[in-house]
Amino acid sequence: MSVTHPIPRAQHDVAAELRQIALSMFAEHGYAGTSLQQIADAAGYSKSSVLYHFRSKEALFEAALAPSVAELAGFLESLVEKVTSGDRRAEFTANFVDLLLEHRLAAHIIINQGQTLSDIPIIDEARGTIDRIGESFMLGLPTTKQRIRLGVALAGAAYILVASSPGLTAAEDIDEVREALIDVVGELITPLSS
């Protein structure tokens, strides 16, 4: 007698699904305006299932933002060197815009809610990264005009994405926004070349 084994189904990553739904809801309704029950309902799980994966709303919030904050911190290492190098500037600009687009929900939360959530460690970490970026401007660029130019380019690109609704726009509009941001940020930082 032959024994057949069922083909294993792909494992569904419930925690990843919950992080994504929570990120979306925190961006749209705010941290204070989103409950674990609302996240559970949107995901189609019970609140106890959410608590099985994340011990609290704050733990879920931290887990939802952590990948974006870590990627931003790593990406912005040697920022000034990248934007002042003619060879690396265009690549940096495209990569920066792509990073913002990929993590626009996290950026939306950090920029729009950061002041009111300063007691949450992941927000403090994100704000620390932003402070380090500012310090790198001060140390790496010799003139006030250059520092302002870089700050306006990077912060302006981020603001454009977070000033709109967290869901942004349709896919075809994202391509248009991406190209426009790359062009404008590139124009702003071109004079930073050594």
Side-chain angles (χ1 to χ4, degrees):
M1 176 192 251
S2 163
V3 177
T4 60
H5 297 283
I7 298 172
R9 293 187 317 186
Q11 289 294 320
H12 180 70
D13 190 346
V14 174
E17 179 184 5
L18 289 170
R19 284 191 302 271
Q20 187 56 45
I21 289 169
L23 189 63
S24 215
M25 293 184 75
F26 289 137
E28 187 172 343
H29 305 292
Y31 179 78
T34 304
S35 70
L36 281 178
Q37 186 63 58
Q38 290 169 320
I39 293 167
D41 291 345
Y45 296 107
S46 67
K47 184 177 175 181
S48 62
S49 292
V50 175
L51 289 169
Y52 173 79
H53 292 282
F54 303 98
R55 70 185 180 282
S56 65
K57 178 174 137 178
E58 185 176 319
L60 176 53
F61 181 75
E62 293 241 357
L65 285 177
S68 299
V69 172
E71 192 167 337
L72 176 66
F75 179 78
L76 293 174
E77 286 184 22
S78 66
L79 167 80
V80 172
E81 177 188 321
K82 292 174 189 172
V83 298
T84 57
S85 165
D87 297 340
R88 299 177 73 191
R89 187 177 50 253
E91 178 186 357
F92 168 82
T93 303
N95 290 341
F96 177 72
V97 168
D98 289 342
L99 180 74
L100 281 177
L101 287 169
E102 180 182 348
H103 298 284
R104 65 186 172 271
L105 292 176
H108 191 279
I109 293 166
I110 293 163
I111 292 170
N112 290 327
Q113 301 175 52
Q115 292 288 17
T116 60
L117 301 175
S118 62
D119 58 334
I120 298 177
I122 194 71
I123 294 295
D124 290 342
E125 183 180 337
R127 291 173 57 141
T129 298
I130 292 167
D131 289 346
R132 285 190 301 282
I133 293 166
E135 289 167 8
S136 74
F137 294 0
M138 298 305 284
L139 297 173
L141 295 172
T143 70
T144 300
K145 186 174 182 177
Q146 287 178 318
R147 292 188 291 271
I148 290 172
R149 180 178 293 281
L150 182 56
V152 167
L154 301 183
Y159 183 76
I160 290 298
L161 293 177
V162 303
S164 62
S165 70
L168 195 61
T169 55
E172 62 273 3
D173 293 338
I174 290 175
D175 291 338
E176 185 179 341
V177 168
R178 179 185 184 274
E179 291 306 314
L181 283 172
I182 289 171
D183 286 348
V184 172
V185 170
E187 288 173 14
L188 284 171
I189 65 174
T190 294
L192 299 177
S193 293
S194 307

